[in-house]
Amino acid sequence: MNDVTIIGCGVIDVLVGAVDDKILSRASTQMDFIKFNFGGDALNEATALSRLGKKVQWIDKIGDDDAGKRILNHAVENKLDTSCVKIQAGLDTGISIVLVDAAGERKFLTNMNGSHRKLSAEDIWPHVDGMADIVCFASMFVSPLLNIPATAKVFEAIKSKPRILAFDMKHPKNGETLEDLAPVLKYADYFFPNEEELATLAGSDDIQKNISALLDNGLKCAVVKRGGKGCIIATKSAQIEIPAYHVEKAVDTTGAGDCFAAGFLYALSEKFSLEECGKFACAAASCSVEEVGAVTGLTSLDKVMSRYKF
């Protein structure tokens, strides 16, 4: 049996840095690094969880092309259960160009017709009964085929059994609001937006107001990622603010939020308290930002535990 099911996209990342705001004004620029890596929120979370020692099922759709084969090999090498990854002929597997600046912050260039935008409810339905006791949909707002009504139906089916259900998100693409998300929130046990994503959803920069709105719309527990400021975990009855773990230098923040989510899910599976879940998640994220690549720095449970215990 798998410990965790992760649903959502896996892509190839080509990371380039360090870039500046004049990069497009020059005919040629020498980079400090250009690296081929694997990414996508779901694949990052699944890979990180597997490296932490969990048995992970990954559900996604990729193309029958070289990029898809490389992603599948990466997943198998990281001991993921890929039996529910659909391989579709004629589909371009998602590839992203990631522009990383000197502070480790990044901008993405993505293929609008890539596999990450083609995952649908029909690709998920056949696997609902076999999902683990903890399920995370890592890619809210990535595929237009999984809009809010379609996602709500999938969530309802997942919660037809006594499972823990979490989800993560990218920035909404079509002006979706927090109120629009209510049909999804009512099924979710945990939601992992970052502070900026939540502000976009809520139309407000007041984080306390935004957290209250999430809970008022049916969410059981809000886990707001704040980058270098750590995280806030909130339920109707309590709120916990947890600082980030110190790192000497953030080289690349790509995937830090995904490693945070993976750390939180790991801690949930181990029956940690909410505060311990947040601390462990922050420790996992701190490992991620020290290396170029989403999960390059998260190599083992021992590495995260050494920071978590400290």
Side-chain angles (χ1 to χ4, degrees):
M1 292 291 292
N2 291 304
D3 300 308
V4 185
T5 295
I6 303 293
I7 307 168
C9 76
V11 301
I12 284 178
D13 285 340
V14 181
L15 298 114
V16 181
V19 302
D20 57 29
D21 57 4
K22 297 180 181 178
I23 187 71
L24 296 181
S25 68
R26 298 187 291 267
S28 178
T29 303
Q30 293 184 339
M31 292 287 100
D32 298 323
F33 60 84
I34 300 177
K35 292 192 175 183
F36 177 99
N37 217 312
F38 297 94
D41 9 47
L43 183 57
N44 291 340
E45 288 184 20
T47 301
L49 273 163
S50 181
R51 291 179 182 178
L52 292 172
K54 293 299 175 180
K55 294 179 180 178
V56 186
Q57 175 190 49
W58 175 41
I59 299 174
D60 191 20
K61 178 162 64 179
I62 57 177
D64 186 18
D65 53 12
D66 182 65
K69 291 180 176 67
R70 288 173 180 263
I71 287 173
L72 202 57
N73 287 339
H74 165 82
V76 171
E77 287 171 0
N78 281 277
K79 301 178 181 178
L80 304 186
D81 175 355
T82 60
S83 60
C84 297
V85 176
K86 181 177 180 180
I87 302 171
Q88 182 172 315
L91 179 63
D92 290 334
T93 299
I95 299 175
S96 298
I97 309 299
V98 186
L99 305 178
V100 185
D101 69 18
E105 298 297 325
R106 67 270 190 269
K107 302 292 184 183
F108 293 86
L109 306 177
T110 65
N111 177 4
M112 64 180 295
N113 295 309
S115 57
H116 57 294
R117 292 178 57 81
K118 302 299 183 181
L119 186 66
S120 69
E122 287 70 28
D123 300 313
I124 301 171
W125 288 126
H127 313 300
V128 169
D129 286 346
M131 290 180 184
D133 290 340
I134 298 176
V135 180
C136 183
F137 176 46
S139 302
M140 189 73 200
F141 300 130
V142 173
S143 173
L145 302 180
L146 274 170
N147 57 20
I148 290 172
T151 303
K153 289 180 181 179
V154 170
F155 279 19
E156 182 181 19
I158 292 170
K159 289 294 286 184
S160 66
K161 292 186 176 182
R163 296 180 173 113
I164 293 172
L165 175 59
F167 75 108
D168 206 342
M169 66 173 282
K170 293 294 187 185
H171 277 283
K173 305 291 192 302
N174 299 301
E176 294 93 345
T177 67
L178 192 149
E179 288 73 23
D180 293 331
L181 203 59
V184 167
L185 292 172
K186 70 179 183 179
Y187 293 112
D189 297 293
Y190 300 91
F191 178 33
F192 303 127
N194 68 38
E195 190 171 0
E196 184 180 348
E197 291 163 348
L198 180 56
T200 301
L201 264 182
S204 167
D205 290 327
D206 186 332
I207 189 169
Q208 293 299 329
K209 178 181 176 182
N210 296 345
I211 288 172
S212 294
L214 284 175
L215 300 173
D216 289 343
N217 276 281
L219 179 67
K220 296 177 182 66
C221 183
V223 184
V224 182
K225 299 173 289 190
R226 307 185 76 198
K229 294 182 287 185
C231 69
I232 294 176
I233 304 171
T235 66
K236 281 286 191 179
S237 60
Q239 180 167 304
I240 307 164
E241 190 164 346
I242 297 171
Y245 281 76
H246 174 73
V247 296
E248 291 298 325
K249 180 175 176 57
V251 176
D252 176 20
T253 59
T254 306
D258 303 329
C259 288
F260 175 97
F264 199 97
L265 294 168
Y266 171 88
L268 279 177
S269 75
E270 293 290 316
K271 313 298 185 187
F272 287 17
S273 70
L274 277 181
E275 183 174 5
E276 290 168 338
C277 286
K279 288 180 177 179
F280 189 88
C282 285
S286 74
C287 295
S288 171
V289 303
E290 293 179 326
E291 302 284 347
V292 175
V295 295
T296 308
L298 203 162
T299 54
S300 68
L301 176 60
D302 286 345
K303 183 173 183 180
V304 181
M305 288 299 292
S306 67
R307 301 180 183 208
Y308 170 71
K309 289 179 178 178
F310 177 80

